[in-house]
């Protein structure tokens, strides 16, 4: 089933928002870091049933299909699913707030001078840390057993 082309939308931070974060970080001598989630999509749940053939390495018979439990690279909606999951995690579980002017700019909890500010472009976060906070890693390592984590074999 193929939906309209606008079903692929994954928001991006505005160029102005990124410039403001950069200029303020330079003026205030803040720490900045960019990152990339190597296997980020594999953590985002899908919002519809997606069936795929298992890879040959899975050792499954040819007449078996897999129901994806999580987004995968190569699926059209994976960037959107990952972004929705990531923003929900940061806002609901980590206490970040989304900027009213740019929803892909998130501001961490805490005193104003020590808040993390981050810009998210799908699976590429860019973080600015205020005050004495130093950015040493943008994202925790993500690991899993792909066979049990990603699929239900049918």
């Amino acid at each position: 089933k193929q939906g309209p082309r606008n079903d692929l939308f994954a928001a991006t931070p505005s160029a102005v928002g990124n410039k403001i974060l950069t200029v303020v970080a330079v003026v205030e001598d803040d720490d900045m870091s960019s990152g990339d989630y190597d296997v980020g999509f594999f953590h985002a749940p899908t919002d519809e049933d997606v069936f795929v053939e298992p890879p040959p390495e899975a050792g499954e018979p040819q007449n078996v299909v897999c129901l994806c439990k999580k987004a995968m690279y190569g699926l059209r909606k994976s960037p959107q699913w990952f972004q929705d999951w990531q923003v929900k995690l940061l806002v609901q579980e980590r206490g970040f707030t989304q900027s009213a002017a740019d929803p892909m700019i998130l501001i961490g909890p805490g005193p104003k001078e020590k808040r993390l500010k981050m810009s998210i472009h799908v699976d590429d976060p860019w973080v600015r840390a205020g005050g004495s906070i130093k950015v040493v890693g943008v994202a925790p390592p993500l690991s899993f057993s792909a066979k049990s984590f990603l699929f239900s074999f049918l």
Side-chain angles (χ1 to χ4, degrees):
K1 149 182 148 177
Q2 193 162 32
R5 294 300 296 181
N6 65 357
D7 70 345
L8 304 178
F9 178 75
T12 59
S14 70
V16 172
N18 279 334
K19 286 179 186 178
I20 290 171
L21 281 179
T22 304
V23 169
V24 172
V26 170
V27 169
E28 295 183 359
D29 195 28
D30 287 341
D31 198 19
M32 297 182 291
S33 181
S34 63
D36 181 60
Y37 296 98
D38 290 338
V39 292
F41 287 4
F42 298 145
H43 291 267
T46 62
D47 65 2
E48 61 189 52
D49 288 342
V50 178
F51 296 93
V52 298
E53 293 178 5
E57 296 82 9
E60 297 295 326
Q62 293 233 341
N63 60 348
V64 171
V65 294
C66 301
L67 171 64
C68 290
K69 295 188 219 175
K70 304 287 181 174
M72 295 174 50
Y73 290 90
L75 296 177
R76 291 178 50 210
K77 291 183 76 176
S78 288
Q80 180 184 26
W81 291 331
F82 176 73
Q83 187 177 67
D84 292 346
W85 171 80
Q86 181 179 212
V87 169
K88 181 180 176 183
L89 173 77
L90 290 168
V91 171
Q92 292 181 359
E93 296 182 23
R94 305 284 161 81
F96 279 72
T97 55
Q98 288 180 279
S99 163
D102 188 339
M104 294 319 303
I105 304 273
L106 291 101
I107 300 141
K112 184 177 180 179
E113 66 279 357
K114 293 189 176 199
R115 286 186 195 152
L116 286 177
K117 287 97 180 163
M118 69 187 317
S119 163
I120 302 172
H121 181 265
V122 188
D123 67 343
D124 301 315
W126 181 82
V127 178
R128 173 188 156 226
S132 60
I133 298 173
K134 294 295 177 199
V135 178
V136 293
V138 174
L142 304 174
S143 62
F144 54 88
S145 165
K147 190 171 180 178
S148 63
F149 188 75
L150 294 173
F151 305 114
S152 291
F153 290 90
L154 306 175

